[in-house]
Amino acid sequence: MERTFDVLVIGSGAAGLSAALNIAPHLKVGVLAKGGISAGSTAWAQGGIAAVLEPGDTFESHIEDTMIAGAGLNDRRSVEFVVENAPAAIERLAELGVPFNKGESERWHLTREGGHSHRRIVHVADATGRAVQQALEKAATEHSNITLIPNMAAIDLVTGRHAVHASSEKRVRGVYAVDAQGGGVSLFTARATILATGGASRAWLYSTNPRGSTGDGIAMAWRAGCRVSNMEFSQFHPTCLHNVEVKNFLITEAMRGEGGQLKIPGSGHRFMPDFDPRAELAPRDIVARAIDHELKRLGLDFVHLDISHRDPSFVRSHFPTIAERLAQPDIGIDIAREPIPVVPAAHYTCGGVVVDLHGRTDVPGLYAAGEVTQSGLHGANRLASNSVLECLVFGLAAARHINDHWDEVAPPPAIRPWDESRVTHSDEEVVVHHNWREIRRFMWDYVGIVRTTKRLERALNRVELLRQETEEYYGHFRVTPDLVELRNLVEVSGLIVRCALTRQESRGLHYTLDYPEMLPEAVDTMLVP
Ligand code: FAD
Ligand code: SIN
């Protein structure tokens, strides 16, 4: 089957839907999601969105905090662009109906998170992402120019080599995508394509992310000829719930912003002041490394996050979603009275597809926005709550550029349908699941919070083995969404390890025992296909 839109958006989170809503007044947009429309990371965001919104705070301060967290690797133009456009982005969400918590005297209640020198995080209690996703999704559903297409996993970008009259032209003309429910591959064509596929944190065994965070957009863009940068900077969130049954439940950083303390179980020693004068509100890389250090030093499975010294009604009203979830019988913790066992887990991909301030990638016809990108905003470590903001600002920027340059792009030529003539149904689907598990295990063991060259080389050897196996499998068997994800996980893990081996220093989120010092000059790691 072939479907044609003016613009194709791959991904239905904050970045994809922001872009779609800003294109739709002029053009017809198709939005693909590989699972449910709300199944990306956006709906899981807890803490909030950062913006300068009250007297006393300044753009300069938000910019400086972002650059300090990013260990000087940020592109200042991108930081300024995002920070200065943040208040308008929040205003647009409010207009769409996002019910940000009200302040006592100010318009909105602003909370605080690590690395921010000012209270500047707007939020909807501790479930901000859910409210943002719902508002964007409602507006998109109601727009007659937007078609939402769930359960459609993009396999690869379509370029000149897929045309009926094949050419070496790199311009992107759409995607091939496999139907996650019915099977079968469709062709989607468009004059412009926006990648908004989110990050790759499910490359690790323990992650705060939904299962779809497999770096599909990064891998597809790389295969289509885009540069990929700074993939070594994988952010580990310091406080993921530690529970044998319940995996990947985040305990928001805002809990530390409101006084939560990190303690050693048993002794109750509050250890963060031993590591950094900002204690629990130091940037995430520092807090995650401190926890990792204490876990290894004392042979612990977890540390405690404790907010039980605050008034119980304050705790329950500020963190209702977390309080309710942890109170359920499978966990059984009353957060207003008991400490929460936590560990760091893979949370955010700071690197990605290189884009400019219009969201343009290296390849004509292809834009990208959100966690899939390396826009220069985050540098070596993302400042808390700058991510949804980046999605909103760059989603709009890409939309504007497409609208403004629409008449310059010709419609796509005739493209060949997906060819399945040389493949059969797999007789060994289990291989895909085994390989998934293997990647996530060795990425956790060898490409974690503290790295060494030897461990990274071990990881690279394993990536290469899995790459051979996966490509062979891909060449012989019918494509499924699981296979799409495995192929992309292998690709992206290779990019992460190669970037990590290239950086011979410790900076931000990349800490290696072989090069513990930071070099005087901050330089992006750039992989060129
Ligand atoms: P996502 O929202 O992840 O959406 C990706 C979309 O791409 C999905 O629709 C998915 O189906 C689709 N997709 C992926 N691959 C394919 C494919 N092959 N084919 C078709 N579709 C595909 N950030 C903040 O700023 N503040 C917070 O408080 C905050 N809290 C967080 C809490 C948690 C638990 C997590 C996991 C993240 C949090 N973040 C937070 C980070 C933030 O939520 C994400 O970085 C951001 O929402 C990413 O948005 P996105 O639009 O780029 O991607
Ligand atoms: C959190 O609520 O701790 C997540 C915030 C973020 O990732 O920006």
Side-chain angles (χ1 to χ4, degrees):
M1 190 179 65
E2 176 172 349
R3 293 184 75 173
T4 299
F5 294 94
D6 293 329
V7 179
L8 200 56
V9 178
I10 317 299
S12 58
L17 292 181
S18 296
L21 285 168
N22 286 289
I23 294 167
H26 315 280
L27 300 165
K28 293 219 175 289
V29 191
V31 180
L32 268 54
K34 74 177 161 183
I37 296 295
S38 335
S41 290
T42 297
W44 289 29
Q46 292 188 353
I49 310 173
V52 173
L53 290 166
E54 67 173 20
D57 195 6
T58 61
F59 287 153
E60 200 47 44
S61 164
H62 190 180
I63 291 165
E64 282 314 308
D65 290 346
T66 302
M67 305 275 301
I68 290 168
L73 194 65
N74 324 58
D75 177 342
R76 194 175 179 98
R77 287 166 315 149
S78 177
V79 179
E80 288 172 356
F81 177 62
V82 173
V83 165
E84 288 168 12
N85 280 292
I90 302 298
E91 199 60 60
R92 283 197 302 280
L93 287 181
E95 281 164 17
L96 288 178
V98 176
F100 291 118
N101 281 30
K102 303 258 180 294
E104 278 171 18
S105 53
E106 22 0 64
R107 182 174 173 199
W108 289 311
H109 176 262
L110 301 176
T111 192
R112 191 165 180 179
E113 290 180 352
H116 287 277
S117 55
H118 207 281
R119 281 186 171 267
R120 63 167 73 99
I121 320 288
V122 282
H123 61 106
V124 182
D126 56 353
T128 310
R130 196 164 62 207
V132 169
Q133 179 75 32
Q134 278 169 357
L136 291 170
E137 221 174 292
K138 180 169 181 291
T141 308
E142 286 169 358
H143 207 297
S144 59
N145 266 355
I146 298 180
T147 307
L148 298 175
I149 308 170
N151 302 310
M152 195 56 77
I155 305 168
D156 256 325
L157 294 160
V158 168
T159 59
R161 71 190 180 89
H162 303 102
V164 170
H165 300 291
S167 74
S168 57
E169 199 197 34
K170 279 180 145 191
R171 178 175 282 280
V172 167
R173 308 293 196 170
V175 296
Y176 293 111
V178 55
D179 185 333
Q181 289 184 329
V185 177
S186 297
L187 168 64
F188 292 85
T189 54
R191 281 202 221 182
T193 301
I194 303 178
L195 286 174
T197 46
S201 291
R202 291 295 286 230
W204 284 268
L205 188 58
Y206 301 107
S207 166
T208 63
N209 279 219
R211 82 149 268 172
S213 299
T214 49
D216 296 5
I218 300 171
M220 285 192 280
W222 170 254
R223 288 193 290 267
C226 295
R227 285 171 304 155
V228 166
S229 169
N230 289 351
M231 290 297 290
E232 67 275 35
F233 299 116
S234 4
Q235 183 172 75
F236 288 78
H237 195 292
T239 58
C240 182
L241 174 73
H242 177 273
N243 185 284
V244 181
E245 297 302 325
V246 182
K247 310 280 185 210
N248 67 15
F249 187 78
L250 183 78
I251 311 297
T252 179
E253 181 146 343
M255 193 174 282
R256 281 176 280 131
E258 298 299 343
Q261 298 177 347
L262 287 163
K263 295 179 176 171
I264 301 296
S267 73
H269 173 63
R270 183 182 169 206
F271 59 89
M272 271 316 298
D274 306 340
F275 288 85
D276 193 285
R278 291 162 291 186
E280 282 82 1
L281 287 181
R284 269 182 201 171
D285 55 331
I286 293 170
V287 182
R289 261 198 310 280
I291 297 176
D292 187 66
H293 180 272
E294 293 302 274
L295 294 178
K296 286 183 177 141
R297 185 175 72 85
L298 298 166
L300 301 170
D301 289 332
F302 54 83
V303 295
H304 274 148
L305 174 60
D306 191 0
I307 193 160
S308 61
H309 54 284
R310 297 222 52 182
D311 175 37
S313 62
F314 169 88
V315 173
R316 293 201 182 97
S317 64
H318 269 71
F319 306 106
T321 314
I322 296 174
E324 193 189 317
R325 179 67 192 95
L326 268 60
Q328 283 168 15
D330 56 340
I331 303 175
I333 294 173
D334 178 355
I335 65 167
R337 301 185 193 288
E338 296 169 272
I340 307 166
V342 293
V343 284
H347 181 63
Y348 186 82
T349 309
C350 292
V353 182
V354 178
V355 289
D356 67 9
L357 293 186
H358 303 293
R360 280 183 299 186
T361 70
D362 292 339
V363 172
L366 184 66
Y367 294 73
E371 194 172 339
V372 65
T373 65
Q374 202 284 84
S375 69
L377 172 64
H378 306 305
N381 177 31
R382 174 177 67 98
L383 183 65
S385 287
N386 265 356
S387 168
V388 172
L389 176 61
E390 181 189 39
C391 296
L392 303 171
V393 172
F394 274 91
L396 174 62
R400 281 199 173 139
H401 195 271
I402 290 171
N403 293 336
D404 292 349
H405 296 268
W406 182 246
D407 294 334
E408 297 161 24
V409 187
I415 304 289
R416 282 180 278 124
W418 184 254
D419 178 11
E420 287 201 320
S421 59
R422 284 188 299 275
V423 294
T424 60
H425 278 297
S426 165
D427 51 358
E428 261 193 306
E429 288 263 342
V430 71
V431 171
V432 174
H433 299 283
H434 284 169
N435 288 354
W436 242 90
R437 236 178 298 152
E438 193 177 332
I439 295 184
R440 298 184 65 211
R441 177 86 248 175
F442 74 68
M443 288 296 284
W444 185 259
D445 289 341
Y446 298 144
V447 197
I449 295 171
V450 176
R451 299 164 178 179
T452 67
T453 302
K454 204 169 184 174
R455 287 181 208 158
L456 292 174
E457 284 169 350
R458 279 195 189 127
L460 196 59
N461 287 338
R462 281 160 177 79
V463 168
E464 290 313 325
L465 272 178
L466 284 174
R467 183 195 301 284
Q468 283 168 24
E469 265 182 33
T470 310
E471 284 307 316
E472 198 185 313
Y473 198 93
Y474 184 74
H476 286 91
F477 298 117
R478 259 194 195 118
V479 69
T480 62
D482 284 352
L483 180 56
V484 168
E485 290 188 338
L486 172 66
R487 183 171 175 242
N488 292 330
L489 269 182
V490 173
E491 191 80 84
V492 167
S493 301
L495 297 172
I496 293 166
V497 178
R498 282 172 59 196
C499 282
L501 279 166
T502 307
R503 185 165 295 282
Q504 299 191 340
E505 63 166 343
S506 289
R507 181 184 295 275
L509 296 160
H510 176 71
Y511 183 79
T512 164
L513 296 174
D514 292 301
Y515 304 98
E517 304 302 326
M518 187 159 85
L519 294 175
E521 204 188 345
V523 182
D524 288 328
T525 312
M526 195 64 72
L527 298 179
V528 182

